[in-house]
Structures are given as structure tokens and as C-alpha cells.
Amino acid sequence: MRDERRPTLTDVAERAGVSKSLVSLVMRDEPGAGAETRRRVLEAAGQLGYQPDSRARLLRSGRSRLLGVVFGIQHPFHADLVTGLYTAARETGYELALSAVTADRDEAEAIAGLLQDRCEALILLGPHSSAASLARLSGRMPVVSLARPVRHTGVDVVRSADAEGSGLAVDHLAGLGHTAIAHIDGGRAPGAAERRRGYRAAMDRHGLTGRILPGGLTESEGAAAARALLADPPTAVTVFNDRCATGVLDVLSRNGIAVPDELSMVGYDDSSLARLAHINLTTVAQDVTTMTRSALTRAIARVQNEPITRREIIVPPHLVVRGTTAPPA
Amino acid sequence: MRDERRPTLTDVAERAGVSKSLVSLVMRDEPGAGAETRRRVLEAAGQLGYQPDSRARLLRSGRSRLLGVVFGIQHPFHADLVTGLYTAARETGYELALSAVTADRDEAEAIAGLLQDRCEALILLGPHSSAASLARLSGRMPVVSLARPVRHTGVDVVRSADAEGSGLAVDHLAGLGHTAIAHIDGGRAPGAAERRRGYRAAMDRHGLTGRILPGGLTESEGAAAARALLADPPTAVTVFNDRCATGVLDVLSRNGIAVPDELSMVGYDDSSLARLAHINLTTVAQDVTTMTRSALTRAIARVQNEPITRREIIVPPHLVVRGTTAPPA
DNA sequence: GCTGCTGCCTGGAACGTTCCAGGGCAAGGA
DNA sequence: TCCTTGCCCTGGAACGTTCCAGGCAGCAGC
């Protein structure tokens, strides 16, 4: 039962009493077939449960209509981005091919896997590869880096205005009356430098002196930073990302420091983590919908060789005020 | 520069001065070519940077050597499973095709995406589809359900002995001297019924009366359950999974209940969440390595029509004692 | 010498599509 | 009347592989 041969174009053509070329046309929704015939063909296809063979299709047409996506399977924010990409891809006629970076499968391997599949373009989420190797890759196919700036003219970039985002966080806290505002940074993580810069600039703008603690992008790095904070706590802190922020939150609550009563906190990403009712984190939202849609349209534009003006697309972030910020005690 | 045609078998054949059939043999490492010729062919292929076109290869051979994997992109435990699957797949000669279930892309859609790619088998992580629809699917191709039991003879199942796992948690707590041990369950989530059953059986075994609170598989459901717990806290609690447990932990620490001093807690999954230093959750570990390897071998065995004795593979779990359990105060 | 084998190699037919060049046929203009 | 112009439609050649049926040496055995 299992190895019945799948129906092919020829089967459908026979059943509908037309040529396979015509069936091909109809299946692709191209003009050149009469209404009645079209109906008959679709009916036959439906009855046989015909599904076009993507391999044959690609082989002949030289196109795969496949966009490769490389993401970190452990990153909640990447999960949000992938979700957005799927949604954005829905109406484009392109499919997504996912390839995950895991603990023992690095980015190079993830990319190599996609290359075999003959993707037409690559969308990399917060890629860690060197600019040089991304550049080399972009010689083979269009490459879009999502959520990480890349200094090379061959690589498109879609990212949020991270400096501006940090600025929003600081403005919000300063507006509440905070003056001792620390920043737990993301080290070498994608976007970290930019956010640090935005923090510094905003502090300067408000005439405040900043204080930067080394952090990272994971919960445990946040927890470590929080412990360092305990000795001499500020009244407010902006954190590199939500994941790191939850680590900070956890250590604070274990040490009896009430948030936001004793300490206000702003995260970054508005990942699904921050939205959880019991975390309820004030955070800087990256506009995932716009970012993913932009990344997708850009990739497709490159594939179709459309003229492009600006290589970098910068999406403005916005502040989402929830329960972890309040005026200082 | 970007659209240089990729070299094909014919190009290599010409360069090496042999037929393309022979090149094909050599590339596949099959017998039937002399040592010297083989060397010459490989050299030519190397010089041209030849990479076989997988699509054409698959089209002709009728095989894709592709295993479809459907996973929930928001589930940390699925992330661990996918990681394991990639590792397990490494030496098998099969590739993984990922398809994610997201907030607006349901399981049916994720599966449909894979069907187009002509996968030879499907591995579904904790599938939510009805047994009937999985059964229908299994008529088309081998289907392995990972981490969720399915009552249908056509579908293979790889899962951990969930009842036994709950038992381990209870035994551990009882062994520490706890008698008031509650269970926060997973509702209709995959595995929940089994874990509930194991909890009840173990409590009976120890002559204790159980108490089950409705929970779920997410942090917020855990947080809600924890709030329900506050009115009349037990001395220990076993939780459906790690993700739910972190929700519980969070509410507890906000309400000044010390873990494990005032309340011990055991999670389930040993997801990367539990391993975080600041969470440090005692938990029941599903043996991800064995489970993923089993799922993969099973899928491949089905594809190759090997005889199979037991449809269900049940992997024993084990307890990982970390910092959230201690004797009652 | 012939036969039969084995080891290396070749040619051509698939696989299921898409693409291109055209073929009928009806309607419309000269 | 005949030629054009569209509209539908068909046939067959690709695409880059693998697979199958051989071919042609060289060598052993009779």
C-alpha cells in the first residue's frame, strides 16, 4: 500500500485527456488554457491526489524557489523570527528551508546543508561567521543577515536601530526619575556593541554617568552579572536582551530585591519570554513583523535581480512598558 | 560572477576523458573503476569544484535520503531533541529536513511542507494531530512519533517511560522524608497522562495521598498553578516539565518561599533550562541521546523495509539531582 | 583454437518536470 | 477568397543524474 507510485503529470494528463504540457501550465496557474479544460485538469489532479515533484521541477527550471534560513535553535528570539519569516513567506511563492545551529552543529555546517539543497538565497539570523566568510558566500548567492550588521557591500542587512532602542530604555528610566542606571551588556553578541553605544549616548544626553557591567546573551550570564550588581545596586538597569534579563530577575528575587520597587529593569527583544505574565518585563521591542518581512522581500528582490538602493534596512524599535519599571523609591 | 553555471558530471567526464557513467560511479564510490582512472576523475572533479546536484540525483534514483522532522519552535525540549537528531543523523547518510510549528503555522501545515520535499519518513516531535490523521499519514510513509504515544499500529513510537520517571521523582522526595508531595500536571499535553499515572502509583506505593493541581506545559501555566499552591503549600512538588517548573519557581521566589528550604521541587525533561546554574533544577532526565538515536534508526529501518519487532521503543529516564530538592524543614 | 569469465568502461534510456517551437482553428480585415 | 492574429493546445527536447545492457580486452581452461 505504501509504495504505490505517486501520480505524475502524465497520469493527470491521461486522465484529463490532455497533454502533459497543458497540465503543467494549469498547475502553475499560467495563462494559456481554457476555463473548461482548466477545470477538468484540476479535477483530475484532485482525484489522483497529484502533487508536483519539486525536485523534477527544480531540475528543469533551474530554480528552487527555496530560501534557506539559518537559526540558533536555542535562541527564543530566533524562534520569534522564524515564526515571522514563515508568516511573511506565506504569500510569496517561496518556501523556507530551515537549518539549525546546535551545540554540535556550527554555522558553517548549517550553511553547507542548505547549499546542497540549492537554495536561491540565504537568510542568516544573527550570524556569527566572519564578515569575510559571509562575503565569500555572497559571491555564490544573495545573503541577508538578520539582526546583525555586517560590514561588506555584498551582504544585505536587516536589523533594528539598536542604539536608538537602548536610548528609548534610558529615556524611559530617566523620565521616571532614575539617575543611577546601569547597563548589563552583551559582550561580543550580535547587536551588543550598538546597544552599548546607544546606552552611553543616552546617558550623556541626560547628563548622567553610566556604568556598564559585562553580561552576555544567556540566562546564566545575566545571573552572574546580577550577582556582581548586588554589592552596589543602582536603582535601574537596562539589559542586553530578555533572556539575560530573566537571569538577572531570578537572582534579584532570590536575594529579596523587589522589582520594580527597589530596582527597575528594561530588557530587549520583547521575546515571548518577556510577555509571560509572571515575568511581565518592560522591554524594547524589535519589530519582528517588519524585520522578517523586510528580510524576506529583500532576499526575493535579490533573487529576482531587482535594483536595490540601500543595502541596510534599519527598523525602528519601540518601548513596551510592562511591570518591571517604576519611579525610584 | 554569481551565475556561473555549476559544473556537471559531463564537464568532469570531458575533462577526465571518460564517460559520465564512469564519473558517476567514482563519485558514488562504487566498484567498477580502475585505480588510475579513479584518481584522474577525482582530480578533475576537484579542479572544477564539482558538487553533485542532489535534486537530479534524487529524481533519478527515486530516493531523497531525506527525513522530515516536525517540531515546535517555541519548545526548549524540542530544541534539545532536534539537536540530538542532527547528531544522530550525522553518520547515517540521511539528511534532516526541518519544518517548524509556530503560532500561526499548525502541524498540518508543517507536515504538508515536508511532503512536498519528498521525504522518505517523518519524525514528529510530540505531535498534537489526532491518531486518525497520523494513521492516514502513515499510509503514505513511515511515521515516528517522538515523545508522544500514539495508539495505532501504523505509527512507530519512541518515548520515555514517563510513568516510571514520575515514580523516580516521588521516590526521591519520599526518600528525603517528604510526605506532602503535590503534582502539577500537564493537562492534555503529550506525556501528561502517563506522568500523572506514574505519580499516583508511586504515591500509593509509599502509602501517601496525592494532590494534583492543573498546570500545563508553559511557564505561565506553571506560575498560575504556583499561585494556587500558595494558599496551602505542600513540602514538595513534582512538575510536569521544566518549563512549567521555572514558572512555579519564579512565583515562589517572588512570594518569599525558599527552594529547597521550604519547598522541594522536581521538574521533568532536563532541558537546557534546568541545567542553568541559577535555576539548577532537580529533574527527571529523558535520555535525549538514546531517544533521538532510536527514532532515527527506526525511521531508517522502516524506509529500508527491515523487519521490526516492537512498534514502541520505551527509553528509561533517570533522575538528575540538583539544587531544588532537600529534606523537609 | 574456441569458450567463458572477469574487470573496466561506454552509450543511451529513464526520472518528472519546464520550456520552446509550432499547429489547428475561429474570427476579423483586406 | 486569403491572409493575419489570437487563443488553445501538443510534441519533443532539455535539466543532471542513475541504471541497465552491453562491449572489449585479457586470461584461464578445455
Side-chain angles (χ1 to χ4, degrees), chain B residues 10-169:
Chain B
T10 319
D11 298 327
V12 178
E14 248 165 48
R15 177 159 200 138
V18 295
S19 73
K20 61 194 171 77
S21 311
L22 191 66
V23 179
S24 175
L25 280 186
V26 172
M27 294 320 287
R28 279 174 296 145
D29 232 355
E30 302 245 319
E36 164 57 13
T37 327
R38 194 173 286 268
R39 199 196 52 72
R40 248 194 12 259
V41 168
L42 286 176
E43 185 179 301
Q47 286 171 352
L48 291 175
Y50 168 75
Q51 266 208 311
D53 183 324
S54 55
R55 305 287 165 155
R57 178 173 264 188
L58 305 176
L59 175 57
R60 172 60 235 203
S61 63
R63 310 222 17 203
S64 69
R65 301 208 140 254
L66 215 55
L67 303 177
V69 175
V70 174
F71 71 107
I73 198 154
Q74 297 288 357
H75 290 334
F77 183 57
H78 284 194
D80 291 346
L81 288 174
V82 170
T83 301
L85 285 172
Y86 268 124
T87 311
R90 186 157 284 157
E91 298 298 329
T92 60
Y94 284 79
E95 302 260 319
L96 259 38
L98 259 42
S99 187
V101 173
T102 76
D104 76 0
R105 186 173 194 258
D106 65 18
E107 202 165 286
E109 202 174 337
I111 292 173
L114 288 178
L115 289 184
Q116 274 211 335
D117 290 345
R118 296 288 197 269
C119 295
E120 302 187 25
L122 246 38
I123 298 178
L124 311 176
L125 309 197
H128 284 284
S129 305
S130 69
S133 70
L134 292 182
R136 196 161 347 108
L137 197 61
S138 75
R140 302 231 293 161
M141 54 178 28
V143 173
V144 178
S145 165
L146 184 50
R148 180 189 161 213
V150 174
R151 277 190 212 296
H152 187 279
T153 50
V155 180
D156 285 304
V157 169
V158 175
R159 61 180 181 91
S160 51
D162 278 331
E164 188 183 319
S166 290
L168 291 176

Side-chain angles (χ1 to χ4, degrees), chain B:
Chain B
M1 50 148 205
R2 187 168 277 162
D3 30 26
E4 279 173 38
R5 210 173 45 79
R6 302 182 76 109
T8 77
L9 268 190
T10 319
D11 298 327
V12 178
E14 248 165 48
R15 177 159 200 138
V18 295
S19 73
K20 61 194 171 77
S21 311
L22 191 66
V23 179
S24 175
L25 280 186
V26 172
M27 294 320 287
R28 279 174 296 145
D29 232 355
E30 302 245 319
E36 164 57 13
T37 327
R38 194 173 286 268
R39 199 196 52 72
R40 248 194 12 259
V41 168
L42 286 176
E43 185 179 301
Q47 286 171 352
L48 291 175
Y50 168 75
Q51 266 208 311
D53 183 324
S54 55
R55 305 287 165 155
R57 178 173 264 188
L58 305 176
L59 175 57
R60 172 60 235 203
S61 63
R63 310 222 17 203
S64 69
R65 301 208 140 254
L66 215 55
L67 303 177
V69 175
V70 174
F71 71 107
I73 198 154
Q74 297 288 357
H75 290 334
F77 183 57
H78 284 194
D80 291 346
L81 288 174
V82 170
T83 301
L85 285 172
Y86 268 124
T87 311
R90 186 157 284 157
E91 298 298 329
T92 60
Y94 284 79
E95 302 260 319
L96 259 38
L98 259 42
S99 187
V101 173
T102 76
D104 76 0
R105 186 173 194 258
D106 65 18
E107 202 165 286
E109 202 174 337
I111 292 173
L114 288 178
L115 289 184
Q116 274 211 335
D117 290 345
R118 296 288 197 269
C119 295
E120 302 187 25
L122 246 38
I123 298 178
L124 311 176
L125 309 197
H128 284 284
S129 305
S130 69
S133 70
L134 292 182
R136 196 161 347 108
L137 197 61
S138 75
R140 302 231 293 161
M141 54 178 28
V143 173
V144 178
S145 165
L146 184 50
R148 180 189 161 213
V150 174
R151 277 190 212 296
H152 187 279
T153 50
V155 180
D156 285 304
V157 169
V158 175
R159 61 180 181 91
S160 51
D162 278 331
E164 188 183 319
S166 290
L168 291 176
V170 172
D171 291 351
H172 170 59
L173 292 169
L176 287 171
H178 290 275
T179 52
I181 306 172
H183 176 67
I184 295 180
D185 89 342
R188 303 176 49 76
E194 189 76 4
R195 291 181 199 175
R196 208 154 40 218
R197 205 161 57 68
Y199 164 79
R200 281 216 194 85
M203 290 299 278
D204 282 357
R205 211 163 52 231
H206 289 281
L208 302 172
T209 49
R211 174 177 168 202
I212 296 185
L213 290 96
L217 39 67
T218 67
E219 289 88 350
S220 27
E221 289 163 313
R227 279 187 286 269
L229 211 61
L230 290 174
D232 172 22
T235 67
V237 59
T238 64
V239 187
F240 169 65
N241 72 4
D242 290 347
R243 209 174 147 197
C244 182
T246 59
V248 178
L249 269 177
D250 193 81
V251 168
L252 292 179
S253 76
R254 275 161 205 261
N255 284 275
I257 298 189
V259 172
D261 303 331
E262 296 171 61
L263 195 142
S264 286
M265 172 144 67
V266 182
Y268 208 114
D269 281 351
D270 192 25
S271 67
S272 37
L273 215 52
R275 272 167 268 162
L276 293 174
H278 69 286
I279 305 239
N280 198 29
L281 182 68
T282 295
T283 190
V284 178
Q286 305 201 44
D287 184 343
V288 171
T289 311
T290 308
M291 288 175 69
T292 50
R293 201 162 36 205
S294 305
L296 216 73
T297 13
R298 170 55 56 92
I300 293 173
R302 286 287 184 197
V303 166
Q304 299 177 346
N305 258 311
E306 290 165 15
I308 275 144
T309 53
R310 290 198 344 282
R311 180 176 73 91
E312 235 178 338
I313 300 178
I314 299 180
V315 179
H318 64 274
L319 189 74
V320 179
V321 178
R322 295 208 181 84
T324 56
T325 47

Side-chain angles (χ1 to χ4, degrees), chain A residues 237-300:
Chain A
V237 60
T238 65
V239 187
F240 168 65
N241 73 5
D242 290 345
R243 209 174 146 196
C244 182
T246 59
V248 177
L249 270 177
D250 193 80
V251 167
L252 292 179
S253 74
R254 275 161 205 260
N255 285 274
I257 298 189
V259 172
D261 303 333
E262 295 172 62
L263 194 143
S264 286
M265 172 145 64
V266 182
Y268 209 115
D269 280 350
D270 192 25
S271 66
S272 36
L273 214 53
R275 273 167 268 162
L276 294 173
H278 69 285
I279 304 236
N280 198 30
L281 182 68
T282 295
T283 189
V284 178
Q286 305 201 43
D287 185 344
V288 171
T289 310
T290 308
M291 289 175 70
T292 50
R293 200 161 39 206
S294 305
L296 216 72
T297 12
R298 172 53 56 89
I300 293 173

